[in-house]
Amino acid sequence: MVLITTALALVFFYAPNDADQGFVQKIFYVHVPLAIVALIGFIVAGVLGAMHLRTRDDTWDARSYVAIHMSVIFGVGVLATGAIWARASWGKWWVWDEPTLVSFLIIFLLYVTYYPLRYSIDDPQRRARYASVFAITAGAFVPINFIAVRMAESLVHPRVLNQTAGDMPGEMRLTFLVALAGMALLYVTLVKLELTSKNARRQLRRLRRMLEEEHSGGAAPPPIATVPAKPN
Amino acid sequence: MRAVVAIARKDLLVELRTKESVPAMALFAVTTFVIFHFGLDRDRLEGELAAGVLWVTLLFAAILGINRLFVAEREQGGFDGILMAPIERTSLLIAKSGALIVYLVALELIALPVFALFFIDEGFWAAVPRLALVTLLADVGLAVVGAMLASIAIHTRARDLLLPILLLPLTVPVVIAAAAATKPLLSIPLDTSGVGKWLAVLALYDLVFGLLAYAVFDFLMED
């Protein structure tokens, strides 16, 4: 999987298609796939949250959490690359009359509140449930928000994949699709990595606790947890 | 259904006797209008500026009420009562949304005339019927989302801190649609074009989030 993401870099240098915007346009191959993957990640997180509510299995909650986490990180990338691209091609770092920018920002702000919500609930079961409810609500919010903001604003931001505006030459389209696939795989890989590390950390914590209990023996007072219970 | 009526009635009676939320919301709204007067340094507003001032103020005032919505349930064991009672849990959501709609309407009954008095020259009364429709649809959306998020926030450590940051991004579409629908109504030659489209957006928002809140609320009410 990581190999394919390196293929992204390869295509990036191998098939450079300078459009009328020149070299700057290259950021397109990073920005757009990042955005698409982040948004899909948010929606997938909602589905995973629904799975958690249905099965009560904490692994679904952990998946939903990690999916949102990664999408937020990708979202930072989207905003940063978008700002750079906007500066280069429109002359401003941020433009308010762009529905796509504004709706992405709102969605990003919404998902950032996932963290304070999650960390301010102590009971793990309740935390998992509430986080899932949030994931579902916010996941449904993503398309609604896009509709509302788009209706309110003009249409200057290029829509890449719709029927008319997608007038990319073949090479560009190929590069774009490979970049998109690479970005999606990068996302999946990162999510898996994070899940594995979370699992490992949890197991380590459990082992340590068992070890501590053994050391303290039967009669000794209950050991004070040296490992602070981190929210997972 | 009887449970819904009973809970909503209880809330409204409590509010009527203690006068905790609505007067504070109204006072907040009026004070915010005064703040806007100085902040913008304008005596009269019209069009999009008027719509923006009105909706931002109403939204922030609504947050005050939403923050208080479940406080009594939490402090006096109302949640346990609801859970033990042989009723559907979503009746709590419906009742709370209903009570919140009443609060918001009461707020607007005070805030809108004051707003007109402070900022609008004339022609305000001609806009009132349509404005009432916009406000009502926006209230439903705010109330449903507010009741759902309040029931989440009340169980967290950072309660009244968390609610606004959760609520504001989620209600951005309401503000967009309500302000866009209000803008032509508060323009100096009254203009009703395009209002219908935004009413449809508000109705769609209400519908989607109403169904969504109905679907997930059970999960917020276990234990």
Side-chain angles (χ1 to χ4, degrees):
Chain A
M1 274 186 205
V2 186
L3 272 178
I4 303 184
T5 57
T6 51
L8 157 72
L10 211 154
V11 171
F12 193 24
F13 292 110
Y14 169 73
N17 307 302
D18 286 33
D20 60 336
Q21 288 179 36
F23 181 74
V24 177
Q25 192 265 344
K26 288 257 186 59
I27 202 169
F28 162 85
Y29 299 114
V30 182
H31 172 72
V32 181
L34 265 179
I36 292 176
V37 171
L39 289 176
I40 292 176
F42 284 141
I43 292 173
V44 168
V47 177
L48 295 172
M51 290 298 291
H52 167 73
L53 290 183
R54 197 175 246 194
T55 61
R56 297 306 158 92
D57 186 348
D58 277 345
T59 51
W60 288 113
D61 172 58
R63 282 174 197 159
S64 167
Y65 168 45
V66 173
I68 287 179
H69 185 56
M70 282 302 150
S71 279
V72 167
I73 294 173
F74 273 45
V76 175
V78 173
L79 292 173
T81 54
I84 295 167
W85 192 13
R87 177 83 178 103
S89 68
W90 298 327
K92 285 185 190 126
W93 293 105
W94 184 260
V95 187
W96 276 112
D97 50 11
E98 278 305 316
T100 316
L101 265 72
V102 178
S103 29
F104 195 89
L105 179 68
I106 296 166
I107 288 169
F108 179 76
L109 288 176
L110 175 65
Y111 274 98
V112 171
T113 64
Y114 181 77
Y115 297 96
L117 170 66
R118 209 181 157 89
Y119 291 143
S120 66
I121 304 175
D122 295 321
D123 175 21
Q125 280 183 348
R126 171 169 283 173
R127 185 199 306 138
R129 246 184 309 121
Y130 280 28
S132 299
V133 167
F134 176 92
I136 295 169
T137 313
F141 175 74
V142 168
I144 291 203
N145 181 53
F146 262 86
I147 295 171
V149 176
R150 183 155 303 174
M151 276 183 70
E153 311 283 358
S154 63
L155 300 162
V156 193
H157 198 107
R159 312 261 162 289
V160 212
L161 287 180
N162 66 5
Q163 54 288 9
T164 49
D167 48 354
M168 282 189 282
E171 293 168 292
M172 277 173 88
R173 166 157 295 184
L174 179 74
T175 317
F176 172 70
L177 289 178
V178 173
L180 182 59
M183 205 54 89
L185 286 170
L186 176 67
Y187 180 86
V188 172
T189 315
L190 285 174
V191 166
K192 285 217 163 132
L193 197 70
E194 178 77 10
L195 274 173
T196 324
S197 96
K198 265 193 199 313
N199 268 335
R201 215 181 306 152
R202 195 177 309 139
Q203 281 174 358
L204 183 68
R205 213 185 305 147
R206 200 187 312 135
L207 285 175
R208 259 195 214 156
R209 210 171 294 144
M210 278 163 68
L211 205 65
E212 255 166 37
E213 273 164 21
E214 253 172 44
H215 270 293
S216 64
I224 301 152
T226 47
V227 188
K230 277 189 211 137
N232 46 0
Chain B
M1 201 58 219
R2 276 182 52 218
V4 173
V5 175
I7 300 170
R9 187 165 163 273
K10 184 256 327 172
D11 270 6
L12 295 176
L13 265 181
V14 168
E15 175 62 27
L16 214 57
R17 287 185 189 155
T18 60
K19 301 189 181 56
E20 227 174 29
S21 296
V22 175
M25 288 157 79
L27 188 62
F28 176 86
V30 173
T31 320
T32 310
F33 289 145
V34 176
I35 299 276
F36 266 120
H37 160 72
F38 289 112
L40 299 172
D41 197 17
R42 295 273 289 265
D43 296 341
R44 291 283 171 255
L45 299 175
E46 61 170 293
E48 49 195 345
L49 200 54
V53 167
L54 180 63
W55 280 105
V56 168
T57 307
L58 288 180
L59 178 64
F60 287 169
I63 287 181
L64 292 189
I66 296 170
N67 248 335
R68 305 283 311 166
L69 200 59
F70 284 98
V71 168
E73 265 71 15
R74 184 194 166 87
E75 284 173 358
Q76 293 159 19
F79 282 121
D80 300 332
I82 300 283
L83 287 183
M84 279 192 281
I87 54 171
E88 271 193 56
R89 285 149 191 177
T90 36
S91 52
L92 182 65
L93 173 79
I94 302 170
K96 286 289 180 184
S97 310
L100 195 53
I101 291 175
V102 175
Y103 291 2
L104 290 174
V105 169
L107 162 73
E108 282 141 7
L109 284 178
I110 302 168
L112 278 174
V114 172
F115 177 75
L117 184 78
F118 280 180
F119 293 122
I120 305 295
D121 269 330
E122 64 252 4
F124 180 76
W125 299 110
V128 163
R130 285 191 187 79
L131 198 57
L133 196 60
V134 174
T135 324
L136 205 60
L137 279 176
D139 285 353
V140 173
L142 282 180
V144 170
V145 175
M148 177 172 70
L149 291 182
S151 70
I152 292 180
I154 198 77
H155 287 115
T156 64
R157 258 182 286 123
R159 274 177 267 166
D160 27 12
L161 209 68
L162 199 60
L163 181 80
I165 57 169
L166 280 175
L167 185 73
L168 288 181
L170 269 180
T171 47
V172 164
V174 177
V175 174
I176 292 176
T182 310
K183 173 188 156 191
L185 296 177
L186 295 182
S187 296
I188 280 304
L190 177 70
D191 166 24
T192 55
S193 61
V195 176
K197 181 179 83 170
W198 292 107
L199 287 178
V201 175
L202 280 175
L204 178 74
Y205 181 94
D206 294 355
L207 184 72
V208 171
F209 276 94
L211 291 175
L212 200 67
Y214 188 77
V216 296
F217 193 74
D218 261 356
F219 297 106
L220 300 174
M221 281 284 118
E222 291 169 13
D223 61 41

